Amino acid sequence: MAAPKHDPKPVDHLSKLPTELLILIARFYLRSSEIYFSSIFRLTRTNSRLRQIIIATPDLWASFGISDAESESYDLVRLCIERSQSLPLDIQLYTFNTSQRGGLRDHFCDVLRPAAPRIRMLITYMTTYGGLNVVRGVLENLEMPMLEEVSLDYPSMFDDGPDRTIKIPGGGTNLRTLTLTGLVPINSNLSNLKSLTLGSTSGAWWQWSTSSISALVTKSTSLENLTFVGGECTFDVEDDSAGSVLLSPLLRHLGMRGRISANFATRFLLALHAPNLETVNVTTPSVCYETMVPADWEEVMDRLDEKYVEGNWTVENVRALVIDPEAGGYSSGHNRNFFRFLKNVFPYITSLDLDVAEIEVLRICKEENDVFDVEWGHLNKLILRGNPSPRALKRLLDFVRSRNGTGPVDFEGESEEEGGDEYDEADYDDEETEEDETDEEDEDEGSESKSEDGGEGGNEGASNEEKHEASGVVGAGVDEDAGSSWLMPIETVVIKGREITDAASGELLRLLREEVQVVEIA
């Protein structure tokens, strides 16, 4: 009996898929690839049909990078320019070397000039002052009328130069999105800019100034999104324009992410005039030694009071506050003064979004009894991100019960009726260590003693807040007609990233659902 014949060719499942689906797969694959060139050419070598489809799909070739470290990238860029046909282009330009600066600039210009009228997005990264001059030459010699998005990243990793200015092609008239790290644009018209991101450098040679930030924001009259990003070095500024007002009439979203100093965050928020601001995303300020100027909390509260008295407070429309943890891993107790500042500066929020590491915010509110009397009177939604322990869920439940007037939960051991013995807090790990809690107690004690002695430092804020208790923000939760304080009940709680696997957490969630209208586990 003859043996059965086997087809030596493997089954080519890709050939059976429709063209539209193959293109979708290719787009997804390329978006998730770190090295675009090698990935797209790998696709063209899979089989002849896929090669024809990839080559005949212009948008797959409309995004590419060019670098002085890879001489072969020049030919690949020319190929992408050809195969992208007439589509807008997204280009990344990297310079690492400083040799042959003039020749390198001319080479970049020669390669990119045929495509310059189609460049929609340009991302640049420079590690040396020589590389910065190369990029300057490219921007000054190419006409890019379609340019809408620019990222200029000069983090000063290895050296520094005397001139931090740069010109944007066309003066930036058509720009919608601008990201700057270590560079300041000159002779620019940013009136159509919608989104601005400013990053800190990775060295100590250069920092943003209050005046340079103010000039950028003021010029951007259409600005809707503003983000500050701290990197290896904390984002901080020297205050070179005390008492200035920063106008941004259309700003809706403000972000302060990464390592941000309390000094910068408080000064910026006190200077900001943004009547349409709706959402603020802040990172708990860095408290490491490298911050340039520590926050003077007594001065901060004095300035806050002045703004209320003058009726010059224009961020009252903020409704959503997002607080992220500081990357250094410090206990949130170290930033009690900053949390108190947020409660006063954004009194009308309706949504509070916290990382589980910042659950301390709720305890601060409860301990001081401010939020139950006058502040955050409109708050009705809590969002908790991370993986909260049973004790953190207890803290959340306690805040909701106290806020809604149904009675608090005793963290030190619930009554037997509530089943406290079943999930006593001592049986579970918590994000805070005993050392953290001791630090917080010491900080509070130090705050009281320093206030009495007239001492300096960030710990003055506890007693200083009592000094400013009569601030105009006190009216946030007061019904003047009725003559009594009022609070919106917490109606919605969202817990993101939590898998309920233990009985204690399940019981706490059951109790939480009895307190609020909606509990979402996302």
Side-chain angles (χ1 to χ4, degrees), residues 16 77 80 103 137-138 163 167 188 241 264 335 353 363 400 428:
K16 299 179 181 180
V77 166
C80 287
V138 172
D163 185 4
K167 293 181 180 180
S188 300
S241 57
F264 169 71
N335 278 293
D353 186 329
R363 190 169 77 172
V400 171
Y428 300 97

Side-chain angles (χ1 to χ4, degrees), residues 223-244:
L223 193 65
E224 297 180 358
N225 300 279
L226 176 60
T227 304
F228 299 96
V229 180
E232 294 181 20
C233 286
T234 302
F235 197 112
D236 202 350
V237 294
E238 290 284 2
D239 187 21
D240 55 358
S241 57
S244 62

Side-chain angles (χ1 to χ4, degrees), residues 90-116:
D90 297 343
I91 297 178
Q92 301 176 42
L93 177 61
Y94 302 94
T95 60
F96 299 97
N97 302 321
T98 58
S99 60
Q100 300 179 344
R101 298 174 188 173
L104 182 59
R105 178 199 61 203
D106 294 340
H107 206 162
F108 278 158
C109 288
D110 291 342
V111 172
L112 295 176
R113 184 168 284 108

Side-chain angles (χ1 to χ4, degrees), residues 14-19 22 47-53:
L14 288 177
S15 298
K16 299 179 181 180
L17 297 177
T19 299
L22 286 175
N47 60 45
S48 58
R49 178 171 176 249
L50 186 58
R51 173 182 174 81
Q52 293 175 357
I53 292 173

Side-chain angles (χ1 to χ4, degrees), residues 132 136 163-167 183-186:
L132 171 59
R136 281 181 176 141
D163 185 4
R164 288 283 182 162
T165 62
I166 195 166
K167 293 181 180 180
L183 294 170
V184 179
I186 58 173

Side-chain angles (χ1 to χ4, degrees), residues 33-76:
S33 300
E34 295 183 359
I35 306 176
Y36 194 89
F37 277 142
S38 61
S39 299
I40 193 169
F41 284 110
R42 187 179 297 116
L43 287 178
T44 62
R45 298 187 183 100
T46 303
N47 60 45
S48 58
R49 178 171 176 249
L50 186 58
R51 173 182 174 81
Q52 293 175 357
I53 292 173
I54 296 297
I55 292 176
T57 306
D59 66 276
L60 297 180
W61 303 90
S63 177
F64 52 85
I66 181 171
S67 168
D68 61 354
E70 300 176 355
S71 57
E72 67 273 12
S73 69
Y74 302 142
D75 292 332
L76 297 177

